[in-house]
Amino acid sequence: MKQQGSIIPPHVLIFPGPGQGHVNPMLKLAELLGLSGLKVTFLNFQFIHDQLLLHADIEARFTKYPGFQFKKIPDRMSVPRAERPEDMADIIKDLIERMKTSSKTLKKILVENSPPIDCIIADMLMGFVHDVAKEVGIPVIPFENASSCSFWTVLSIPRIIAAGELPIKGNQDMDRLITTVPGMETFLRCRDLPTCCRVNDLADPKLLMITNETRESQALILKTFEDLEAPILCPLRTRYPKIYTIGPLHELLKTKLRSIKKQESYSSLNPLWEVDRTCITWLDNQASHSVLYVSFGSIAIMTREQLMEFWYGLENSKKKFLWVIRPYSVTTNDDGVEEIPEELQEGPKERGYIVKWAPQEEVLAHKAIGGFLAHSGWNSTLESIVAGVPMICWPCFGDQQMNSRFVSEVWKLGMDMKDVCDRKVVEKMVNDLMVDRREEFVKSTARMAELARKSVTEGGSSSCSLEHLIQDIKSMSIDRHS
Ligand code: UDP
């Protein structure tokens, strides 16, 4: 069947990893492809799909795109929850292993789906999807959910090991410079490496869990933008010749919707938890740039002691704050109850406002926000960059250790508080960010925000990259049908 000149649109299957930070950007990509007339099937694990339905009218939002469908892989999985911060790496490793048991079901979906699938966009975290797709002969474009700086470092792990720079030899070794990651020779320390590298033994399976999922490919989608990570994208292109840099995705989608419909019709969709919008009303009553937004994303967990250090640090800083304390984000006691101290349950008196889940993109864009105390998740980092909000980084796991180093040392968009959780340090950094060093940070955040916004306008690097991706998917589809 020749498709050239015909009106049959290519059919793309999108399969994100099972987590808020993975599903959100892929939903945005799905909407961008839908806007360009591509047919999209959005595949999720059942437990993620159920959560999406619970907190957002997700199906209604996508009915406007002809041929759009949600599909799910039945599973017995549940939202991964760590009991203790140090369990995060094991939880992720376990999740990656459990996902692999879905290979057979996935194969059936890929073979039997109607209309047939022309191309798959799948999270790089799920190597099994790439293997199954290869078996049934459907091309896959991997989507890397982490920052390029982190991904490039993960790819460089064999080189770091060969140079004898890994393993890390205990706590006293954490400030040692790692000199063998091209592009980062002068500022990368052991403590900045992705958390999978925090092992004393080269045989530790956590060390290679991410590299084991990584597949070689001609193409790669990254949710970054050229002006942000150019020096790292350059060596990455030696491994993945065709890289589509289409970030920040929320801003790209917002801009496209605006240009197509000539009106602002974008509403953020981060739907795995119920959003508490009362914080926007609270923000409306605060002075410009007076509030610090505090959130550690959708998975990170902290101990009761850490929570209290933040609490006293924030209170003592005397600055206003909006704090997201998500359910299951604090360690539980022996009865399985989260150890949120009474002071916090009662809520801060004047200066603070606490919610379980906020409309984060909207919060960061609010004029009252002057800073972001964050865990340096890649989505949160990009959202903060677009909004021009300086950051204090308290990274927890994964690529966050790398992102926070780049935020502080390379892009100069804030400060890195990694591996420290002390009320005095919190207080000092909050005051530095909001007052004492504010001018210095605002200069660089404003510049980077402008570059981010430029990248998504017509002719900008991310906008052009998306067009190339769409054209390449169309060509793939024509090739498959000719
Ligand atoms: N988020 C949100 N409301 C909140 C906290 C987070 O909508 O109260 C969103 C945030 O905008 C981001 C995502 O959740 O898009 C978190 O992704 P990130 O990569 O920053 O961290 P992860 O949750 O994967 O650790």
Side-chain angles (χ1 to χ4, degrees):
M1 177 184 61
K2 275 249 176 253
Q3 226 182 336
Q4 193 111 45
S6 82
I7 50 160
I8 303 173
H11 182 197
V12 184
L13 181 130
I14 297 188
F15 194 7
Q20 176 92 34
H22 293 251
V23 174
N24 290 353
M26 294 281 239
L27 274 174
K28 280 158 186 148
L29 175 58
E31 199 158 353
L32 282 162
L33 298 186
L35 276 172
S36 298
L38 271 59
K39 218 176 255 178
V40 176
T41 293
F42 200 86
L43 183 64
N44 267 314
F45 290 97
Q46 179 83 49
F47 76 103
I48 292 288
H49 188 74
D50 293 346
Q51 253 191 311
L52 286 178
L53 292 183
L54 203 61
H55 298 302
D57 199 355
I58 188 95
E59 286 179 335
R61 172 146 175 168
F62 284 92
T63 47
K64 57 178 174 270
Y65 300 112
F68 193 101
Q69 54 176 345
F70 283 101
K71 283 216 158 167
K72 55 232 164 222
I73 293 197
D75 62 71
R76 289 208 194 102
M77 295 199 276
S78 55
V79 184
R81 268 170 206 149
E83 303 269 311
R84 299 170 312 158
E86 56 272 33
D87 294 342
M88 282 310 303
D90 283 312
I91 297 264
I92 293 168
K93 191 168 89 39
D94 184 52
L95 187 70
I96 289 176
E97 287 310 316
R98 278 190 295 152
M99 287 193 295
K100 290 181 186 162
T101 60
S102 306
S103 295
K104 244 194 206 158
T105 318
L106 175 66
K107 186 171 174 184
K108 199 162 156 10
I109 291 173
L110 295 184
V111 170
E112 292 176 2
N113 201 77
S114 174
I117 293 155
D118 297 312
C119 162
I120 300 168
I121 296 178
D123 202 312
M124 184 67 102
L125 188 67
M126 304 191 294
F128 78 96
V129 181
H130 301 255
D131 301 337
V132 173
K134 198 167 171 197
E135 222 183 299
V136 298
I138 302 177
V140 189
I141 307 178
F143 181 102
E144 175 53 48
N145 203 48
S147 54
S148 312
C149 55
S150 175
F151 184 55
W152 177 234
T153 305
V154 166
L155 290 180
S156 306
I157 289 176
R159 178 199 280 259
I160 306 175
I161 293 175
E165 294 194 315
L166 272 175
I168 301 171
K169 298 174 191 77
N171 264 345
Q172 69 287 355
D173 198 25
M174 291 296 258
D175 289 318
R176 173 166 55 84
L177 208 59
I178 297 284
T179 60
T180 41
V181 182
M184 306 182 198
E185 295 86 349
T186 56
F187 58 85
L188 190 69
R189 304 159 303 173
C190 290
R191 70 170 74 252
D192 304 316
L193 291 169
T195 11
C196 60
C197 298
R198 289 194 175 201
V199 293
N200 299 322
D201 177 3
L202 289 180
D204 191 317
K206 288 197 285 277
L207 178 60
L208 294 179
M209 71 176 170
I210 307 288
T211 15
N212 285 344
E213 295 307 307
T214 303
R215 298 292 180 271
E216 296 285 322
S217 169
Q218 276 298 302
L220 175 68
I221 301 173
L222 293 168
K223 51 179 199 188
T224 188
F225 58 101
E226 295 286 330
D227 279 325
L228 184 67
E229 291 195 281
I232 302 305
L233 291 167
C234 205
L236 247 186
R237 287 192 162 100
T238 61
R239 299 284 287 272
Y240 294 86
K242 196 170 256 186
I243 290 185
Y244 307 97
T245 46
I246 57 168
L249 270 163
H250 67 296
E251 196 62 16
L252 183 57
L253 177 58
K254 195 194 280 184
T255 308
K256 289 274 174 227
L257 280 169
R258 231 186 258 154
S259 74
I260 290 168
K261 301 188 177 163
K262 303 286 174 229
Q263 60 179 345
E264 175 124 16
S265 56
Y266 172 81
S267 63
S268 138
L269 188 66
N270 290 339
L272 291 184
W273 297 96
E274 189 175 356
V275 170
D276 183 344
R277 293 194 54 82
T278 59
C279 59
I280 298 292
T281 318
W282 183 79
L283 284 176
D284 287 343
N285 292 314
Q286 309 304 325
S288 259
H289 308 302
S290 66
V291 178
L292 180 80
Y293 173 56
V294 186
S295 168
F296 302 104
S298 63
I299 315 173
I301 178 164
M302 64 175 73
T303 62
R304 184 187 189 281
E305 289 68 36
Q306 290 169 332
L307 185 80
M308 291 318 287
E309 291 306 307
F310 279 117
W311 168 254
Y312 285 113
L314 289 169
E315 282 285 298
N316 296 344
S317 76
K318 309 227 176 341
K319 295 290 158 303
K320 296 226 170 175
F321 59 90
L322 165 62
W323 191 355
V324 176
I325 304 186
R326 201 192 72 238
Y328 312 109
S329 60
V330 182
T331 44
T332 52
N333 62 21
D334 293 344
D335 300 325
V337 178
E338 275 187 287
E339 298 185 300
I340 302 192
E342 239 165 61
E343 301 99 294
L344 260 101
Q345 290 192 27
E346 282 169 16
K349 297 286 174 289
E350 288 160 35
R351 266 190 291 278
Y353 197 82
I354 295 180
V355 291
K356 291 197 166 86
W357 193 252
Q360 181 164 302
E361 287 171 35
E362 203 177 329
V363 165
L364 284 169
H366 198 288
K367 65 173 182 13
I369 295 297
F372 185 10
L373 168 51
H375 71 315
S376 298
W378 190 227
N379 293 303
S380 297
T381 304
L382 289 166
E383 288 159 14
S384 201
I385 287 175
V386 171
V389 174
M391 288 165 261
I392 299 172
C393 305
W394 191 65
C396 301
F397 65 93
D399 63 338
Q400 297 156 18
Q401 316 289 347
M402 294 289 305
N403 303 344
S404 57
R405 188 63 172 164
F406 271 70
V407 164
S408 61
E409 277 308 297
V410 181
W411 305 320
K412 313 279 186 203
L413 304 174
M415 287 170 280
D416 191 358
M417 198 170 75
K418 74 163 58 88
D419 298 327
V420 176
C421 191
D422 174 280
R423 62 190 71 183
K424 285 235 153 16
V425 178
V426 174
E427 181 189 339
K428 164 97 174 63
M429 284 204 174
V430 171
N431 274 308
D432 279 350
L433 195 83
M434 302 294 284
V435 188
D436 300 337
R437 294 177 62 193
R438 179 154 192 83
E439 224 173 277
E440 165 196 337
F441 290 125
V442 164
K443 235 187 234 162
S444 30
T445 52
R447 200 188 108 260
M448 198 57 93
E450 198 185 318
L451 291 172
R453 286 196 285 265
K454 205 172 105 209
S455 75
V456 298
T457 52
E458 211 182 323
S461 59
S462 297
S463 180
C464 290
S465 235
L466 177 71
E467 284 316 309
H468 288 148
L469 173 66
I470 291 165
Q471 286 315 319
D472 289 347
I473 292 174
K474 286 183 178 167
S475 307
M476 261 181 219
S477 164
I478 291 168
D479 288 350
R480 282 177 68 74
H481 294 284
S482 56

